[in-house]
Amino acid sequence: MNAIFTDASFQNMVVVANRYGVSPNAVSELTHALLRTNGTMAQFYIPELGGGGQWMQGGMTMVGDMFNNQLKNTVNGLCIDLSNLINQGAIQYVPLPKSANQNGSQSGNWWGDLGVPNSTGSQNNTNYAVFSTIGRLAIQENGKVTVFDTLDNHIGGVGQQQGGDYSVTFTSQYGTVNLNSLPIVSGGENRPQEQIIPQNNPVPQEVAAVQMPEVAGVSTAFEEDIFIKIEKLAALKDKNILSVEEFENKKAELLSRL
């Protein structure tokens, strides 16, 4: 789907996902299906919701596991709540980017060989592409492309950034995504880099004394962000959204970055 939800829309969808104990990705796919009919019906294939299914406003609900009444009730409740939000205007897309760039020529796959994105968009002269299946976020700004590893963030919302390195901000099931905390897979030339000092040209002691607290502050902020993510993962485990095994694997992955 060549579109992305607004920040507020995705937060509303996360609330619905938590209410029924399903993932934001499943709710996002179901919402895409509902939006095609303005919330009146949905045809979908979502493994988490039993595979193929169909819902129609007024009472018809079909799921792949036809004898699973609990699953049928969950799908019906999800569709009703999401349909109501759509009708209230509480779930909307960010306007899609034009097919041509500022020079009038086709922009092409500026993100390289990442494949087909789940969603793309353009805002404030910044292009972005989200690859949920491989956990990647590509951003093009000022002609330079940076690709991030999104870790366990399910990115589904976008808004205008008031400050920082980029002019857009992204939202996941944890809230606003701090791009500075995400590992860079490629690119990143337009982001501030730590200065490397040749060993044969040592920095005067008084200069080093000014620089070191700044580096320590960055390290501390990064560590705090890791622990915050672990706490959020623990909350998802307590709500049975994540299994114990999934929680432990994600926690080990985050701790390995310290």
Side-chain angles (χ1 to χ4, degrees):
M1 175 66 64
N2 188 28
I4 195 166
F5 295 105
T6 64
D7 194 341
S9 297
F10 188 68
Q11 287 299 331
N12 290 333
M13 290 159 54
V14 169
V15 171
V16 174
N18 291 337
R19 183 182 304 148
Y20 290 91
V22 299
S23 72
N25 272 356
V27 172
S28 176
E29 290 298 319
L30 190 58
T31 305
H32 281 309
L34 286 165
L35 280 167
R36 296 188 187 103
T37 63
N38 293 320
T40 59
M41 66 171 294
Q43 289 183 317
F44 57 86
Y45 184 87
I46 304 173
E48 188 176 341
L49 299 180
Q54 186 173 353
W55 176 86
M56 184 173 295
Q57 198 172 52
M60 191 195 77
T61 304
M62 298 176 61
V63 294
D65 187 357
M66 65 180 64
F67 299 110
N68 190 336
N69 291 327
Q70 182 177 354
L71 176 61
K72 185 180 296 185
N73 290 336
T74 297
V75 171
N76 184 53
L78 283 167
C79 289
I80 290 174
D81 288 2
L82 292 172
S83 178
N84 288 338
L85 289 172
I86 291 171
N87 292 330
Q88 294 165 10
I91 293 181
Q92 298 179 350
Y93 284 135
V94 171
L96 293 174
K98 296 179 180 180
S99 59
N101 59 24
Q102 293 179 345
N103 296 325
S105 59
Q106 288 298 117
S107 58
N109 294 342
W110 55 264
W111 51 80
D113 58 356
L114 293 174
V116 179
N118 298 89
S119 57
T120 62
S122 179
Q123 191 172 131
N124 301 329
N125 297 319
T126 297
N127 297 318
Y128 50 84
V130 180
F131 302 83
S132 301
T133 53
I134 61 174
R136 295 290 183 266
L137 167 66
I139 296 179
Q140 183 187 51
E141 194 166 57
N142 299 323
K144 297 179 180 179
V145 177
T146 304
V147 179
F148 296 91
D149 181 345
T150 58
L151 302 177
D152 58 337
N153 290 282
H154 301 300
I155 294 178
V158 63
Q160 183 173 349
Q161 179 71 278
Q162 300 301 320
D165 296 336
Y166 294 95
S167 58
V168 292
T169 182
F170 298 90
T171 305
S172 75
Q173 72 274 30
Y174 301 130
T176 301
V177 178
N178 180 9
L179 294 180
N180 292 323
S181 70
L182 299 181
I184 296 178
V185 177
S186 64
E189 294 84 358
N190 56 329
R191 305 183 74 204
Q193 300 292 319
E194 183 178 349
Q195 185 178 6
I196 300 176
I197 302 168
Q199 295 186 3
N200 60 353
N201 185 22
V203 175
Q205 185 174 359
E206 58 273 17
V207 176
V210 174
Q211 292 180 340
M212 287 182 65
E214 180 180 275
V215 175
V218 173
S219 176
T220 301
F222 178 76
E223 291 176 0
E224 289 179 354
D225 186 74
I226 291 294
F227 292 127
I228 290 173
K229 286 183 181 294
I230 292 175
E231 290 177 357
K232 291 178 178 178
L233 286 172
L236 292 176
K237 175 177 70 68
D238 293 340
K239 296 177 181 178
N240 295 323
I241 296 175
L242 289 178
S243 66
V244 174
E245 182 179 359
E246 290 172 329
F247 168 72
E248 293 297 337
N249 289 338
K250 291 295 184 181
K251 182 176 74 172
E253 178 185 342
L254 290 170
L255 289 176
S256 68
R257 302 184 185 279
L258 293 176

